[in-house]
Amino acid sequence: MNLKLHKPLCVFDLETTGTNVSTDRIVEISILKVNPHASKETKTWLVNPGMPIPEPASLVHGIYDKDVMNAPIFKDIAPKVLEMIKDSDLGGFNSNRFDIPVLAEELLRAGMDFDITKHKFVDAQTIFFKKEPRNLAAAYQFYCGKTLENAHSAEADTLATFEVLDAQIGKYDDLPNDILGLSEYSYHQKNADLAGFIGFNDKNEEIFNFGKYKGQTVKSVFQKDHGYYGWLQNADFPLYTKKIWTKIQLMSKF
């Protein structure tokens, strides 16, 4: 083992109902406890989140409501989880930004004390991104075999970006070579606005991606809460997002 440990390390991963640290719940937790002398112990629990698992989340991790129907709620397994991690440091992949905050919320919700000062946190994703940069210079070197001179000069970055894009199409046989196909492939998530505040539901209707009306259609919210549109327009949102809200507001009156 390359890793030098002075105390146990618990590497863990969560599957959840979504990505909101405050409101979403754990549906599965797996912990690998690695001891300084290299012995290992693994525990995995399915968890009933006490709420329906949204279909988009189930499509990602493959866990549906029927799978956790008879599983314990987190409060029931919290003592076992805390017992396993209490003397350990914690590790994961994107764990500093997501898994650890979610776990802390669940433990506190279950009445268990979680003190971050008692653990060191190691995030393999952060190490990955720092050691293998995901920036234009790195892409230019990887795809084109060239060093990007004058990085962050607008002209140099523009020319390099086109070379990278063209090289990507040449490298990957399954990558489309037309703009329509590349545009579809480039999307992480389709939104109605540029900042991602307005999404689409399965009926292609604009919905709120945030706040107290998250998941509800913008049109229905404007029809039932007449002051919400005004609040949005006066709040600190991008102008393009406000433009889309105005268009929907006008249409909601008919």
Side-chain angles (χ1 to χ4, degrees), residues 12-201:
F12 74 101
D13 184 67
L14 306 178
E15 303 302 339
T16 63
T17 58
T19 58
N20 188 304
V21 170
S22 299
T23 59
D24 279 304
R25 300 290 190 267
I26 295 172
V27 298
E28 186 179 41
I29 176 171
S30 185
I31 305 174
L32 168 66
K33 188 171 187 175
V34 184
N35 294 301
H37 53 277
S39 67
K40 300 173 184 176
E41 173 189 3
T42 304
K43 292 286 181 65
T44 301
W45 295 274
L46 279 174
V47 181
N48 187 327
M51 62 182 288
I53 304 173
E55 186 177 2
S58 292
L59 290 173
V60 171
H61 49 56
I63 301 171
Y64 292 81
D65 291 335
K66 61 181 176 61
D67 300 315
V68 298
M69 187 183 308
N70 298 315
I73 62 174
F74 187 82
K75 187 174 183 179
D76 291 340
I77 67 166
K80 299 175 183 177
V81 171
L82 196 60
E83 178 65 25
M84 194 167 184
I85 70 171
K86 68 177 183 180
D87 60 344
S88 306
D89 294 321
L90 300 176
F93 196 86
N94 194 34
S95 49
N96 285 359
R97 292 196 301 173
F98 184 72
D99 298 82
I100 291 172
V102 170
L103 180 60
E105 289 292 310
E106 290 278 36
L107 287 170
L108 292 171
R109 220 177 272 124
M112 299 287 177
D113 184 36
F114 182 77
D115 185 352
I116 65 173
T117 65
K118 295 180 179 178
H119 309 273
K120 296 295 185 185
F121 301 149
V122 179
D123 192 330
Q125 185 189 70
T126 301
I127 296 172
F128 175 42
F129 287 170
K130 285 187 175 182
K131 299 304 291 183
E132 304 293 339
R134 292 298 188 262
N135 54 29
L136 180 57
Y140 197 53
Q141 179 63 50
F142 181 81
Y143 288 108
C144 305
K146 302 176 183 177
T147 300
L148 178 56
E149 305 292 344
N150 299 319
H152 302 300
S153 151
E155 182 177 349
D157 287 359
T158 299
L159 297 175
T161 299
F162 175 76
E163 286 191 55
V164 167
L165 177 59
D166 194 58
Q168 286 174 325
I169 295 168
K171 183 176 179 65
Y172 303 114
D173 293 336
D174 61 342
L175 196 64
N177 63 356
D178 63 289
I179 296 302
L180 178 60
L182 290 169
S183 176
E184 291 293 328
Y185 192 88
S186 298
Y187 268 116
H188 286 295
Q189 181 177 349
K190 189 176 180 182
N191 294 306
D193 67 326
L194 298 173
F197 289 106
I198 312 168
F200 292 100
N201 61 16

